[in-house]
Amino acid sequence: MLKRLLGPVLKRTDGWVDRLFGSKWNPLYQSGALVVLCLAVMLVTGLYLIFFYRIGAPYESIVRIEGQPWGGRWIRALHRYAADGAVVAAVVHALRMFCQGRSWGPRALAWISGVFLVFLLYVCGLTGYVMVWDTHGQLLATEGARLLDALPLFSEPISRTFAGADPIPSAFFFMNLFLHIAVPVGIVIFLWLHVSRVARPVLLPPRPLLWTTVGLLTGVALVVPAALGPGADLLRLPAEVTLDVFYTFWLPWTRSAAPGVVWLAAGVASAVAVAVPLLTRPQADRRPAPSFASTRLCTGCEQCYTDCPYDAIRMVDREGGREGKVALVNPAACVSCGICAGSCAPMGVGPPGRTGRDQLSRVKEFVQRQPDAGEDIVLVGCGRSAAAAWAGDHGRRFLVSCAGNLHTSVVEYLVRSGARGVLIVACPSRDCWGREGPKWLVERLFHEREAELKARVDRRRVRVAHASSFDRWSLGEAMDEFATELARLDAPVGDDAIEVETECDLAESSTPQDSPLPRPGHTSGP
Amino acid sequence: MSAATRARRSVALVLAIAGVLAMVSLSRLRWRNPDAEAAELRLSWRIPAPSERSCRPPTEAELEGVLPHMRPSEVCTDEAIPYRLTVLLDGDTLRSGPVARAGGRIRAITVYERFVIAPGDHRITVGFAPETASAAEAVAMAMDADVAAAPGDVILVATDDTGRLGLSEGR
Ligand code: HEM
Ligand code: SF4
Ligand code: SF4
């Protein structure tokens, strides 16, 4: 329901933001990396602030920091705005993963650890606000104590600490500061867990985006100081409070609610968030089958093992006393992105029905169905890209599940069959469902990465465009530009009998229909 | 970079700045706390938990198996004394009932109560005493005071250094 509602909105927003920022710098695609960047900014600025913070006189020390117009004031503001940025980016990141269906199966660990990361981010933020000990911190502490007192945790109400009869013990501020500093260690541990299942996680955005983000946050911190209310007075109810919507949006609602209701709502929301991997998992018959490596076809080159974005392939010793290694897919870690299918020169690996051999037989049929293909540009597109909805003037369309799945022999076949040009439409490289498809595609086509496009193929007739599903402008522009360039070339000459090297017998399929899916820990082949 | 692309990037930068400013304004959203339009009566104190000791001679069964020189002359049990808290505002009862104790092994009674009261002049009467008449020597406290409460004020009733109940100005 939420996915159906939000998915189209997200896709349209992606299209517009791509148009304005360029897909390479679209911050929406970098949301996970932007959270890490914000955390890094918080760490650096926090290290400065900690030198001036005093648990014996918390509010006074913050006032002193605010009194340093060239140091403390903007650093404190930057610390706070980076914390806000982290929440915004984390929410965008989580929503994207949800709407793109990247929340179940082998990604469940990333999802659940992500929920814990948000929880830790909140603990860090809330303790930070209490540290300031202005009226906002006071309200947060008293409301937090009221809610905690409803749980069977403490033998006596901790709310009494804030009754106002006695000064607040500095042990409280020490404890709060300790949590504020210790929780980031937990964040680092959970972040490690969060990306532990992905190969080569991208932890920081590309430099121009990184420095623009830091520059914007610093600029705004210089101009707009962080809010600081009057000092806490436990014998006065705070009248006007400056809330941070990203962290304390709940204060106006919970203050008039019974603690049981608040805990119930928080419990239900957390349970649903943690259960998303189960709730969003497709039914067994609709789940894409994991990849499968054929022991017969595998030459042990290790390319799929290197390329797999989810570290789902291991190289193991060949069975039967034979020398060498062979690829083995771990179905529990494989998301069925199909990127390994494009890695393998002998076309021995890939999800069932999507290996290089399967693609080659599909493209042969495609060419046979349209024998006078020479006039056209063939649009080879990822089903998640703008190619899926393309209805332009020129071009025939050959859809694949991901441009990173595409075996270069398919491109070779199309060019040699006489297509005027082959335009491959991939998703923006930081928004690939399989993470690294567009990156490997370009390297295979133009930078000799295995399984590379053979030298005999005229590369002037091959082009890659990046266009998200709603970005028909970029695709239109790429199409027109490519058509203009192709018009300068001679008319294509198709080969009569196209022989595409498969390095092994083409007749056999790497994933025969009758072969059972491999069980974890077993290598099986046709 | 073409002129059109440059124009789009400029719009993007303006949008990014607007986005950051929007974020910052949400980070400093002023909110009027409706609670501060009223005043609060707050009670907060803690006393050592008094208990009542009752003793009786041991039964035959209890003495059985105990060495003669180890036999007690009486068997005693300590029973926590139940307390009642009464709070009146201008003669109207805000609360009158037993004070719950946290856990059996806690050697203290803690009172922490908050009441929303209308701003203005009030007479506050607080009574805190054992529920049973037999525990006459246990601590009993009472307080009666006139207060003027402005909106947002907290009228705090607490024990002072001598253990007497009274209005507290905070320390
Ligand atoms: C709050 C701090 C968070 C940080 C710093 C963070 C950061 C990251 C990073 C750097 C990646 C790897 C991106 C890549 O290289 O492809 C990632 C992946 C992922 N994140 Fe987060 N994330 C956070 C929160 C969340 C939340 C709240 C969720 C969802 C509840 C989530 C779900 C995921 C998923 C499912 C992936 C795996 C994507 C895939 O494999 O296709 N993350 N995250
Ligand atoms: S790419 Fe193909 S040949 Fe190379 S290790 Fe993987 S399955 Fe084997
Ligand atoms: S389909 Fe291939 S590349 Fe993708 S996760 Fe599975 S094994 Fe790795």
Side-chain angles (χ1 to χ4, degrees):
Chain A
M1 171 74 178
L2 184 63
K3 202 188 280 186
R4 229 174 294 147
L5 226 79
L6 264 179
V9 178
L10 220 63
K11 280 182 184 166
R12 259 154 228 263
T13 316
D14 284 350
W16 281 103
V17 178
D18 277 350
R19 186 75 183 143
L20 293 173
F21 287 71
S23 66
K24 231 172 161 181
W25 321 123
N26 183 338
L28 299 173
Y29 300 155
Q30 309 281 347
S31 41
L34 282 173
V35 186
V36 181
L37 175 65
C38 288
L39 293 176
V41 171
M42 284 154 74
L43 190 74
V44 174
T45 47
L47 281 176
Y48 176 87
L49 296 173
I50 199 72
F51 280 113
F52 299 95
Y53 185 72
R54 298 282 171 272
I55 48 173
Y59 182 71
E60 290 73 10
S61 61
I62 301 286
V63 170
R64 218 167 306 127
I65 289 171
E66 280 293 296
Q68 313 169 347
W70 297 111
R73 182 189 291 178
W74 70 266
I75 292 180
R76 174 169 170 258
L78 182 55
H79 190 67
R80 177 172 293 195
Y81 300 150
D84 292 328
V87 172
V88 175
V91 169
V92 171
H93 172 63
L95 280 178
R96 296 190 74 78
M97 295 299 131
F98 178 79
C99 290
Q100 293 178 349
R102 293 160 79 172
S103 51
W104 57 273
R107 290 171 169 123
L109 178 69
W111 182 273
I112 293 170
S113 56
V115 174
F116 277 89
L117 275 171
V118 169
F119 171 75
L120 292 177
L121 194 61
Y122 263 84
V123 174
C124 204
L126 297 180
T127 50
Y129 277 120
V130 170
M131 273 172 74
V132 179
W133 207 234
D134 59 355
T135 42
H136 181 221
Q138 172 190 346
L139 201 66
L140 196 55
T142 47
E143 183 58 10
R146 181 181 80 98
L147 295 176
L148 285 173
D149 279 338
L151 300 178
L153 290 178
F154 306 101
S155 54
E156 294 188 46
I158 54 168
S159 292
R160 239 174 62 76
T161 315
F162 311 110
D166 298 303
I168 296 188
S170 37
F172 165 75
F173 288 108
F174 174 76
M175 194 53 211
N176 190 63
L177 175 66
F178 175 76
L179 268 179
H180 188 68
I181 294 174
V183 166
V185 178
I187 290 184
V188 172
I189 294 170
F190 270 86
L191 185 59
W192 169 78
L193 199 66
H194 190 62
V195 296
S196 60
R197 285 237 170 154
V198 299
R200 301 166 288 276
V202 181
L203 292 178
L204 285 174
R207 273 204 200 143
L209 185 61
L210 185 152
W211 290 117
T212 309
T213 309
V214 173
L216 278 177
L217 288 175
T218 310
V220 83
L222 280 166
V223 181
V224 190
L228 178 65
D233 177 354
L234 294 169
L235 294 182
R236 290 283 308 161
L237 299 173
E240 195 161 85
V241 180
T242 310
L243 294 181
D244 179 345
V245 169
F246 303 104
Y247 285 89
T248 50
F249 63 92
W250 47 273
L251 269 178
W253 313 107
T254 60
R255 47 164 269 287
S256 51
V261 175
V262 177
W263 285 119
L264 188 71
V268 169
S270 312
V272 170
V274 171
V276 161
L278 268 183
L279 300 174
T280 54
R281 190 171 62 154
Q283 284 177 342
D285 55 338
R286 298 186 54 202
R287 264 173 243 157
S291 179
F292 166 87
S294 155
T295 45
R296 279 258 303 283
L297 297 173
C298 174
T299 60
C301 75
E302 298 194 359
Q303 194 60 44
C304 58
Y305 160 77
T306 309
D307 288 357
C308 173
Y310 292 89
D311 276 343
I313 300 179
R314 279 186 302 138
M315 299 305 296
V316 295
D317 289 333
R318 274 187 187 279
E319 284 176 358
R322 286 192 292 160
E323 287 268 300
K325 299 273 185 192
V326 69
L328 174 68
V329 178
N330 172 7
C334 171
V335 303
S336 194
C337 69
I339 284 172
C340 49
S343 306
C344 186
M347 306 184 192
V349 66
R354 286 150 64 196
T355 64
R357 279 155 207 265
D358 299 310
Q359 295 175 27
L360 211 45
S361 34
R362 266 187 63 213
V363 82
K364 276 182 168 178
E365 264 177 45
F366 174 81
V367 170
Q368 274 162 11
R369 260 188 280 126
Q370 288 146 320
D372 50 348
E375 300 305 307
D376 283 336
I377 293 175
V378 180
L379 196 77
V380 179
C382 163
R384 291 186 175 83
S385 74
W390 180 251
D393 303 339
H394 28 226
R396 293 172 297 138
R397 215 171 46 163
F398 181 75
L399 286 185
V400 285
S401 57
C402 162
N405 292 193
L406 191 66
H407 200 277
T408 49
S409 60
V410 172
V411 180
E412 177 178 353
Y413 195 93
L414 285 168
V415 173
R416 290 177 63 196
S417 71
R420 178 176 288 277
V422 178
L423 179 66
I424 301 153
V425 190
C427 294
S429 57
R430 284 302 302 142
D431 197 40
C432 170
W433 189 87
R435 298 186 60 246
E436 297 184 316
K439 180 168 81 172
W440 295 155
L441 169 77
V442 170
E443 294 214 356
R444 286 168 195 155
L445 291 174
F446 304 115
H447 302 289
E448 315 239 310
R449 187 184 189 87
E450 284 280 333
E452 82 281 7
L453 184 63
K454 295 289 180 278
R456 57 179 168 258
V457 181
D458 183 355
R459 278 166 175 68
R460 293 173 306 170
R461 299 197 185 273
V462 181
R463 178 66 59 92
V464 176
H466 299 275
S468 60
S469 64
F470 195 69
D471 186 6
R472 51 182 187 278
W473 307 284
S474 298
L475 178 51
E477 280 167 11
M479 198 70 161
D480 291 343
E481 213 175 283
F482 193 35
T484 314
E485 283 177 28
L486 288 173
R488 290 196 211 111
L489 305 181
D490 299 334
V493 185
D495 290 4
D496 291 335
I498 312 166
E499 280 290 328
V500 177
E501 278 171 39
T502 56
E503 301 189 13
C504 283
D505 179 12
L506 181 68
E508 73 182 301
S509 164
S510 57
T511 50
Q513 300 309 306
D514 57 350
S515 106
L517 284 178
R519 279 170 289 130
H522 284 266
T523 314
S524 48
Chain B
M1 200 188 277
S2 73
T5 310
R6 212 170 307 131
R8 282 201 297 270
R9 296 293 183 273
S10 309
V11 175
L13 189 64
V14 171
L15 277 182
I17 294 171
V20 172
L21 286 175
M23 182 186 86
V24 165
S25 58
L26 286 174
S27 165
R28 25 187 313 128
L29 199 75
R30 294 193 82 72
W31 172 69
R32 272 205 75 77
N33 179 9
D35 291 352
E37 283 159 22
E40 181 177 304
L41 170 62
R42 191 182 290 168
L43 315 181
S44 172
W45 64 84
R46 184 178 195 270
I47 60 161
S51 55
E52 205 171 14
R53 170 160 285 217
S54 53
C55 300
R56 58 170 170 78
T59 60
E60 283 298 319
E62 281 167 337
L63 292 177
E64 217 171 274
V66 182
L67 294 173
H69 66 280
M70 300 281 282
R71 286 181 182 167
S73 57
E74 51 184 13
V75 176
C76 296
T77 50
D78 289 321
E79 199 65 44
I81 298 175
Y83 265 70
R84 168 172 287 270
L85 174 69
T86 315
V87 185
L88 305 181
L89 180 76
D90 304 323
D92 297 332
T93 306
L94 289 183
R95 184 196 196 286
S96 176
V99 178
R101 276 177 196 234
R105 284 171 49 229
I106 300 302
R107 293 277 166 258
I109 302 182
T110 306
V111 171
Y112 182 74
E113 302 271 348
R114 294 157 67 203
F115 305 96
V116 176
I117 59 174
D121 294 337
H122 295 291
R123 181 160 194 85
I124 291 168
T125 313
V126 178
F128 178 69
E131 292 222 78
T132 49
S134 62
E137 69 277 19
V139 181
M141 300 191 291
M143 190 213 78
D144 213 353
D146 290 316
V147 297
D153 271 355
V154 174
I155 309 297
L156 175 63
V157 177
T159 46
D160 62 14
D161 289 335
T162 61
R164 290 228 305 275
L165 211 55
L167 292 179
S168 172
E169 300 287 313
R171 266 168 274 186

